[in-house]
Amino acid sequence: MTEPAATVEVSLLTPAKDEAESLPRLFAEITAVMDAQQRSWELVVVDDGSSDGSWRVITEHAAADPRIRGLRMRRNFGKAAALAAGVAEVRGRLLVTLDADLQDDPAEVPRLLAELDAGADLVSGHKAQRKDPLGKRLPSKFFNWMTGVITGLRLSDHNCGLKAARTEVYRRVPLYGELHRYIPALAHQLGYRVRELPVHHRAREHGTSKYGLERYVRGALDLLTVVALTRYGRRPAHLFGGLGMAAGSAGTLILLYLTGVWVFTEQSIGTRPLLTLGILLEIFAVQMISTGLLAELVLHRTGRDADVTDLVAEDTR
């Protein structure tokens, strides 16, 4: 039953947090689907600080089927950290991620893998008929629209947990904080071919959602990180310098206006709030431009050219 590490073609990766009731059925469904494929496979389950016996269920199934492996985090670090830990351990050439709550249907995995075989580097699922409350669907629609506008990658569902990709994609995109929501956008920025595929979505049967309203705040902050990484990751002086130039230009106009008032009229400008604003904008401009230059020096010293090698798709040598 066990396949040598070198022959594993597909790795399936699922983070789990208090999903003891869902895991047995998930294991059974994945096994049935993957055994019907002409591909060798493994399943890596990351227990992200569960307290309901999930680890016991994982270890029992791992003992019964060597193709199933479990990783246990010391405490709950979040989905991105759990995915990063799993990506570091998987051995397959292709990687499929799915949630452990049974809302992602393992029966969709062969369709995702077929898209990879057809030339895609990453295929993101789209929950076309989403089985979630309206209170989750509406904010998600706005989130997906905003992410598409800002990143330039227009997907109907950026945050679907069901994805398939070449493993190298997951090893090159950053995974921390809440950046797992932006894996397709980050892969797109690196030049990978990203596609979207409508997939079947199921209603939650056990447990409750692990995310509250605070996830939207964290997601919005991480979207700023994505913008910095995708648009200015290799030219930080343009980001900080652009802010500095804008602030400096506004400050210069204000100070020129006040200079004219002081020279050509008898009005006093020393107590005007506008003078303080103009000076503060000039100080801010100097700080931003200096920060941009320092960031460029750091990027130069840490190897901008070495980072560019990740953008090469093929080599004839």
Side-chain angles (χ1 to χ4, degrees):
M1 183 180 294
T2 307
E3 296 285 348
T7 65
V8 173
E9 184 179 0
V10 180
S11 294
L12 297 100
L13 171 61
T14 179
K17 172 69 167 66
D18 295 332
E19 299 289 357
E21 294 180 287
S22 302
L23 286 173
R25 179 180 165 188
L26 178 69
F27 293 150
E29 290 186 357
I30 288 176
T31 300
V33 168
M34 296 308 299
D35 280 350
Q37 302 294 302
Q38 300 299 315
R39 305 174 188 260
S40 56
W41 62 277
E42 66 173 357
L43 171 62
V44 177
V45 188
V46 182
D47 183 351
D48 188 25
S50 298
S51 57
D52 69 339
S54 293
W55 181 245
R56 174 183 54 79
V57 175
I58 294 170
T59 54
E60 289 176 354
H61 283 78
D65 188 343
R67 295 173 299 184
I68 299 175
R69 291 193 291 150
L71 301 175
R72 191 179 192 182
M73 308 292 277
R74 293 192 180 94
R75 62 173 179 82
N76 177 232
F77 288 98
K79 186 174 181 178
L83 286 173
V87 168
E89 294 295 325
V90 298
R91 299 172 294 189
R93 180 179 62 87
L94 306 177
L95 175 61
V96 177
T97 62
L98 69 166
D99 293 337
D101 56 12
L102 296 176
Q103 292 194 264
D104 292 334
D105 190 350
E108 298 286 1
V109 171
R111 295 177 61 227
L112 296 174
L113 294 176
E115 288 292 322
L116 295 182
D117 293 338
D121 294 314
L122 184 146
V123 185
S124 182
H126 167 213
K127 296 168 285 193
Q129 301 295 326
R130 186 170 178 179
K131 307 299 183 181
D132 281 325
L134 186 64
K136 290 184 67 175
R137 297 200 307 270
L138 288 181
S140 181
K141 285 182 178 294
F142 176 76
F143 161 82
N144 287 311
W145 173 78
M146 182 61 68
T147 302
V149 169
I150 292 177
T151 65
L153 178 65
R154 305 284 182 148
L155 296 180
S156 300
D157 192 353
H158 281 264
N159 194 32
C160 180
L162 186 57
K163 296 181 178 69
R166 306 188 192 284
T167 304
E168 67 175 82
V169 176
Y170 273 84
R171 288 183 171 150
R172 290 182 178 176
V173 299
L175 279 174
Y176 59 86
E178 300 286 328
L179 291 185
H180 62 277
R181 306 178 191 279
Y182 305 104
I183 289 174
L186 293 169
H188 174 71
Q189 182 269 335
L190 289 173
Y192 290 109
R193 292 161 292 189
V194 178
R195 297 179 186 172
E196 189 173 44
L197 186 70
V199 295
H200 178 227
H201 188 243
R202 304 185 290 198
R204 174 182 282 274
E205 297 184 11
H206 306 288
T208 58
S209 174
K210 310 303 185 296
Y211 301 102
L213 293 176
E214 72 281 356
R215 70 173 179 162
Y216 298 112
V217 177
R218 295 197 301 265
L221 293 175
D222 278 315
L223 184 56
L224 298 178
T225 301
V226 171
V227 171
L229 292 175
T230 57
R231 295 190 180 182
Y232 302 102
R234 293 179 178 83
R235 47 190 181 97
H238 290 193
L239 172 61
F240 295 105
L243 293 173
M245 292 295 289
S249 298
T252 299
L253 291 175
I254 290 173
L255 294 179
L256 286 174
Y257 164 74
L258 291 176
T259 300
V261 171
W262 179 64
V263 171
F264 298 107
T265 71
E266 296 181 356
Q267 299 181 34
S268 172
I269 64 171
T271 58
R272 289 196 176 194
L274 197 59
L275 176 63
T276 303
L277 176 60
I279 294 173
L280 289 176
L281 286 173
E282 294 291 354
I283 294 173
F284 178 76
V286 172
Q287 290 177 330
M288 287 294 98
I289 293 173
S290 299
T291 300
L293 292 175
L294 288 173
E296 288 285 346
L297 289 173
V298 171
L299 191 60
H300 173 74
R301 295 295 297 175
T302 54
R304 190 198 308 256
D305 293 338
D307 183 50
V308 171
T309 60
D310 287 343
L311 307 181
V312 178
E314 296 181 66
D315 191 334
T316 58
R317 289 178 297 178

